[in-house]
Amino acid sequence: MKLLGFIKPSDRCFDDFISPMINFVFFEDPRTLSEIRPIFVHHNLPDSVGSLGLPGGSVQLYAMQVRVALSERLSLIAVKDGYVVANMDPGPLDTLLNDGWAAVTAGLKYNLVRDTCRGRLASVGFTYEIPIGSQRTLQDVGDGEFHVFGTAGQRLLNGNAHFLTSVGYRFPVDREAQTTSIHWSNHLDYRVTDRLYLFTELAWWHWTESATGAGALPLGVAGQDLFNLSSSNVEGNNLVTQNVGLKFKPKSNTEIGLAYEFPLSDFKDIIQDRVQVDLIYRY
């Protein structure tokens, strides 16, 4: 660590918290952290996708998130990268979506509220998605996108339960090529033992603008959190998903998580269901 002297340790006064898993690219933990977080996602698409009724399939993502505390309040966050493996059913998506690299998203987060007595946190931040992923994986679309967000957490039941919430606005540089949306994500957990947590989470997506360019297609779906497609007819759509899961903490600086996610709304966008696994190691 002498070669990386700019890296500060994670805030250890909130070690009883666990990080959220739903909407993992955009639901940011409010704590100031230095960590690496490998993530695996198995994502099933509906049998009939969007307004065109395209045959679905499945997608796997192998990713690594990195967070670096630069001070007691400021941290660098890298929340999207990795490799996508596509297994599409025979049809248009079989040729449109193939294996390749995901785009890279990074930004900054600043902690505004840190009340250790009340167990209360609040942070704000932003990220920018660099459109350097594989075009065959529908990642190199437009000129990238920004995400601005606020995130907060509250300790409950003397640290045996916790609530996290986050709101964000996701908007592309080129609004002709990609959609614009807002999200609200929530997390509630209960500590069953010193090491084992049970949790459930909800995420709500609302698309405020469709892609407006001549090349936009009437897909009827936008891509949830993994994609931002060039779709001309998603404005006003609402997607609500829930997950249930558990986290195991063998040490105070290590988390192993498993979650199963499914849609609650009639509109499913591109999700039939999803299984997610993550491992977090903190400095």
Side-chain angles (χ1 to χ4, degrees), residues 189-229:
D189 69 62
Y190 181 75
R191 183 161 59 177
V192 180
T193 70
D194 288 343
R195 297 184 179 184
L196 182 65
Y197 294 69
L198 301 179
F199 66 85
T200 187
E201 298 169 327
L202 286 169
W204 169 64
W205 285 93
H206 175 73
W207 280 269
T208 58
E209 294 181 33
S210 302
T212 59
L217 299 174
L219 301 174
V221 294
Q224 200 181 352
D225 49 3
L226 292 179
F227 305 95
N228 190 345
L229 305 176

Side-chain angles (χ1 to χ4, degrees), residues 1-282:
M1 295 304 298
K2 291 183 179 180
L3 297 176
L4 300 173
F6 65 91
I7 299 179
K8 307 300 182 184
S10 298
D11 186 349
R12 306 309 297 270
C13 292
F14 297 87
D15 276 352
D16 54 299
F17 282 68
I18 58 173
S19 292
M21 292 186 69
I22 204 169
N23 192 12
F24 63 95
V25 177
F26 300 103
F27 191 178
E28 183 65 22
D29 193 311
R31 295 174 290 175
T32 303
L33 302 170
S34 291
E35 67 180 24
I36 56 173
R37 184 188 188 187
I39 297 174
F40 169 75
V41 177
H42 178 85
H43 180 107
N44 289 314
L45 283 71
D47 293 335
S48 178
V49 178
S51 55
L52 300 179
L54 303 176
S58 65
V59 173
Q60 292 82 44
L61 173 68
Y62 301 84
M64 173 79 79
Q65 292 184 341
V66 177
R67 292 170 178 84
V68 176
L70 303 176
S71 71
E72 292 183 354
R73 300 275 184 171
L74 182 66
S75 53
L76 173 69
I77 57 175
V79 295
K80 181 180 177 182
D81 57 20
Y83 194 77
V84 177
V85 177
N87 301 288
M88 297 295 102
D89 295 337
L93 289 179
D94 194 22
T95 55
L96 183 64
L97 180 60
N98 295 291
D99 301 354
W101 294 101
V104 174
T105 299
L108 294 172
K109 177 177 63 179
Y110 187 79
N111 178 231
L112 296 174
V113 176
R114 182 182 178 275
D115 189 332
T116 57
C117 294
R118 293 183 175 89
R120 188 174 300 164
L121 288 158
S123 299
V124 295
F126 76 92
T127 60
Y128 173 67
E129 181 176 298
I130 308 169
I132 58 174
S134 303
Q135 288 186 346
R136 64 179 181 270
T137 316
L138 304 178
Q139 294 294 293
D140 188 7
V141 180
D143 298 321
E145 65 176 42
F146 286 96
H147 174 237
V148 293
F149 64 88
T151 180
Q154 176 65 58
R155 181 181 292 133
L156 305 170
L157 302 178
N158 296 318
N160 289 317
H162 307 82
F163 175 70
L164 303 174
T165 187
S166 175
V167 293
Y169 177 49
R170 181 184 181 188
F171 58 99
V173 175
D174 184 357
R175 300 197 180 202
E176 293 187 352
Q178 292 178 293
T179 67
T180 303
S181 60
I182 58 176
H183 71 86
W184 180 28
S185 303
N186 296 279
H187 162 102
L188 181 65
D189 69 62
Y190 181 75
R191 183 161 59 177
V192 180
T193 70
D194 288 343
R195 297 184 179 184
L196 182 65
Y197 294 69
L198 301 179
F199 66 85
T200 187
E201 298 169 327
L202 286 169
W204 169 64
W205 285 93
H206 175 73
W207 280 269
T208 58
E209 294 181 33
S210 302
T212 59
L217 299 174
L219 301 174
V221 294
Q224 200 181 352
D225 49 3
L226 292 179
F227 305 95
N228 190 345
L229 305 176
S230 188
S231 184
S232 64
N233 60 341
V234 296
E235 183 176 341
N237 283 353
N238 291 280
L239 171 68
V240 180
T241 66
Q242 180 182 5
N243 73 8
V244 291
L246 56 86
K247 281 214 171 184
F248 180 68
K249 297 182 70 171
K251 297 181 179 180
S252 61
N253 65 340
T254 307
E255 294 181 19
I256 303 169
L258 172 66
Y260 174 70
E261 183 179 352
F262 48 90
L264 297 179
S265 55
D266 291 335
F267 175 67
K268 297 182 179 181
D269 197 64
I270 64 166
I271 181 170
Q272 181 64 38
D273 57 16
R274 171 187 287 183
V275 175
Q276 182 179 339
V277 179
D278 71 358
L279 168 64
I280 299 175
Y281 179 77
R282 295 195 176 103

